[in-house]
Amino acid sequence: MNIAIIGTGYVGLVTGTCFAEIGHHVICVDNDPEKVRTLQSGGIPIYEPGLEELVPRNVAAGRLRFTGSVAEGVEHADVIFIAVPTPPLPDGSVDLSFIEGVAREIAACLTSYKIVVDKSTVPVKTGEKVAETIRRYNRAKVEFDVVSNPEFLREGSAVEDFMHPDRIVIGVSSPRPVPRMREIYAPIDAPVLVTDINSAELIKHAANSFLALKISYINAISVICEASGADVQEVANGIGLDKRIGRRFLDAGLGFGGSCFPKDLSAFIKIAEQLGYDFGLLKQVQLINAQQMDRFLRKITDTLWVLKDKRIGVLGLAFKQNTDDVRLSPAIEVCQRLLREGARLRVYDPRAMEKAKAVLPPGPTVEYVPERDAVAEGCDALVIATEWPEFKQLDLERARRTMTHPILFDGRNLFDPREMERLGWVYKSVGR
Ligand code: UDX
């Protein structure tokens, strides 16, 4: 099948590359000439495990190419996927101007029947608007169908998630595009759920909000664990073994961040409000997430007292493991709040240091340390802010020797409290 992907961010690039990998002919379109040039010359603008192998392989096989021209993409494709950003507006609703712009551009280029698929995360009823827009700007009155096909890719394991999804959701307003959509995904072994467009759009917001709710739930439990002397990890294991609940997304810590959960929650609350429902449950999810961060910082100030001129080593800048993405990263927020209190930071992340420099500029109070095990040198305390598995291999002995006091605030519960105590650390984690 000939496919165009409009928008070559995390979702678009992974989706386009994976479609090529399963045998389709794909053009990825982006309006950022710099990004297109990078991709055309063999570079990959983001870090996502697997892409560095899949992109060149599919380019070489002639199944994947990049362009700045929507017209070229539309001309090439039977099916056009929209994967452009849907950033939040100050009131929590979603800025749909990129989607609308692309819908108009596609409409202007239509010369034969196409399927236009929305992959970007959008509020319910957006598909209806996209169809309306294409109808309005499609002067040649060419036939088309609009489909909603939400993505469920996690950054850091997006290629794996694409190849082995839990489900594929296809939202349509008529049966016409269904066979082609099924054909596109035929090489992928997963249940296919065909719904109406509004339900498909809701599935995405409802799924992400539920996962965020699960995290806030365990974070709320972590507060009760701390107050009662219980261990949140034991509790998570205990409730997670119930198959109706499941253990995943029950890791207490600094809370969730990233480009999806915070934005999708606000957007879902907003669209619910517009539809006449006050989604108080999800407002609590947001509140618990914010309080979790406050509580962690309070732990640091309670222990270190005055932060001014204290040297603090921070391990982790990305919003989660296996990514270089720092958008709404809880780790960056920790750093910014420590800086506001006058602390001096030594920071390290295995992948996200370059991107972090834009939001956390290096200078007299922020030193980027190229080596993980050197971060602790001369520090009054160490903070773990991202759940990178490799932080578990931290050279604790070296860190302890080179710090003024061996204090570790573990915002991601990577170490065993008893073992840390045995090794002579003052160790504070979350909910244990
Ligand atoms: C999420 C959804 O998982 C994915 O299906 C959707 O398509 C996009 O949004 P992503 O934002 O890449 O993916 O990351 P995810 O792995 O879901 O983690 C989000 C945040 O929650 C991270 O900050 C992570 O640290 C945090 N988290 C996750 C926890 O605090 N505890 C957990 O148990 C799991």
Side-chain angles (χ1 to χ4, degrees):
M1 190 94 69
N2 290 329
I3 292 175
I5 312 277
I6 320 273
T8 313
Y10 281 94
V11 173
L13 185 57
V14 171
T15 305
T17 305
C18 290
F19 277 149
E21 177 69 11
I22 61 173
H24 301 300
H25 286 88
V26 181
I27 294 195
C28 287
V29 184
D30 205 281
N31 64 359
D32 176 351
E34 181 67 36
K35 197 188 270 184
V36 174
R37 262 195 304 277
T38 302
L39 286 160
Q40 282 171 338
S41 58
I44 299 173
I46 53 166
Y47 172 70
E48 184 60 46
L51 281 189
E52 67 284 6
E53 188 193 325
L54 294 190
V55 172
R57 177 155 83 219
N58 285 283
V59 169
R63 288 192 301 263
L64 179 63
R65 61 197 167 93
F66 303 95
T67 177
S69 158
V70 170
E72 191 185 335
V74 173
E75 155 109 34
H76 157 91
D78 307 303
V79 183
I80 304 154
F81 285 80
I82 304 178
V84 295
T86 49
L89 289 168
D91 71 348
S93 65
V94 179
D95 178 359
L96 293 168
S97 60
F98 297 111
I99 298 259
E100 196 262 358
V102 167
R104 271 193 285 143
E105 269 191 88
I106 293 171
C109 311
L110 281 186
T111 51
S112 59
Y113 170 77
K114 309 275 174 186
I115 300 174
V116 180
V117 187
D118 176 46
K119 250 225 182 281
S120 303
T121 302
V122 292
V124 60
K125 298 175 99 58
T126 300
E128 290 174 2
K129 293 275 178 219
V130 168
E132 216 174 284
T133 305
I134 297 180
R135 249 190 313 277
R136 191 169 306 141
Y137 289 89
N138 163 19
R139 290 184 186 277
K141 298 287 166 238
V142 176
E143 299 241 334
F144 66 93
D145 279 303
V146 167
V147 172
S148 165
N149 173 222
E151 55 83 18
F152 301 101
L153 311 174
R154 286 164 305 166
E155 287 181 26
S157 53
V159 170
E160 176 67 18
D161 287 349
F162 182 97
M163 295 297 181
H164 306 282
D166 290 341
R167 76 303 209 185
I168 292 161
V169 175
I170 297 174
V172 293
S173 57
S174 87
R176 180 166 59 174
V178 175
R180 273 210 178 150
M181 291 303 296
R182 284 189 184 276
E183 195 188 326
I184 288 180
Y185 283 105
I188 306 277
D189 181 21
V192 175
L193 188 67
V194 177
T195 68
D196 62 278
I197 293 181
N198 287 340
S199 300
E201 289 170 340
L202 260 180
I203 286 169
K204 170 69 195 214
H205 266 155
N208 267 6
S209 299
F210 188 81
L211 291 168
L213 180 147
K214 234 180 144 180
I215 298 168
S216 276
Y217 183 76
I218 201 65
N219 280 336
I221 299 283
S222 80
V223 181
I224 303 171
C225 286
E226 282 182 18
S228 63
D231 180 330
V232 74
Q233 274 179 327
E234 305 281 13
V235 178
N237 291 341
I239 59 178
L241 279 170
D242 186 326
K243 289 192 189 67
R244 294 168 302 176
I245 298 173
R247 175 63 180 82
R248 292 168 77 191
F249 281 69
L250 284 180
D251 288 321
L254 273 175
F256 55 80
S259 65
C260 291
F261 284 175
K263 181 189 82 164
D264 291 354
L265 267 179
S266 311
F268 201 24
I269 290 168
K270 198 74 198 169
I271 188 79
E273 184 187 307
Q274 284 160 8
L275 294 167
Y277 180 66
D278 178 7
F279 218 144
L281 177 66
L282 295 186
K283 291 179 185 167
Q284 281 298 315
V285 169
Q286 290 179 314
L287 186 68
I288 291 167
N289 201 49
Q291 287 171 340
Q292 197 69 0
M293 174 66 69
D294 294 343
R295 205 169 288 116
F296 186 71
L297 284 150
R298 210 171 312 127
K299 239 175 237 172
I300 299 178
T301 45
D302 281 353
T303 310
L304 299 182
W305 190 22
V306 175
L307 291 190
K308 190 160 179 334
D309 293 331
K310 290 267 162 66
R311 279 228 222 189
I312 301 180
V314 180
L315 290 166
L317 297 166
F319 84 98
K320 60 182 255 190
Q321 81 280 30
N322 294 331
T323 181
D324 63 352
D325 196 345
V326 296
R327 287 176 291 174
L328 292 189
S329 168
I332 298 284
E333 187 175 343
V334 167
C335 291
Q336 288 168 336
R337 289 175 62 164
L338 292 174
L339 286 173
R340 250 181 270 147
E341 298 283 328
R344 298 168 167 271
L345 306 183
R346 289 170 59 78
V347 302
Y348 170 82
D349 189 284
R351 289 281 173 184
M353 302 231 265
E354 273 324 299
K355 292 213 165 135
K357 284 176 185 164
V359 280
L360 197 70
T365 53
V366 184
E367 187 183 346
Y368 281 77
V369 181
E371 192 204 336
R372 180 192 70 200
D373 289 331
V375 169
E377 275 167 29
C379 285
D380 299 291
L382 206 53
V383 171
I384 294 178
T386 308
E387 62 273 42
W388 281 96
E390 66 161 64
F391 291 163
K392 289 186 186 161
Q393 269 81 55
L394 178 71
D395 186 340
L396 287 168
E397 190 39 39
R398 177 174 163 190
R400 208 172 62 85
R401 262 187 289 117
T402 56
M403 291 173 73
T404 57
H405 313 280
I407 305 178
L408 175 57
F409 300 98
D410 183 354
R412 297 294 176 182
N413 289 352
L414 297 188
F415 292 99
D416 175 33
R418 274 169 295 272
E419 179 63 8
M420 292 300 282
E421 214 164 286
R422 197 185 64 75
L423 295 172
W425 285 82
V426 175
Y427 176 75
K428 312 236 166 178
S429 53
V430 179
R432 303 187 297 170

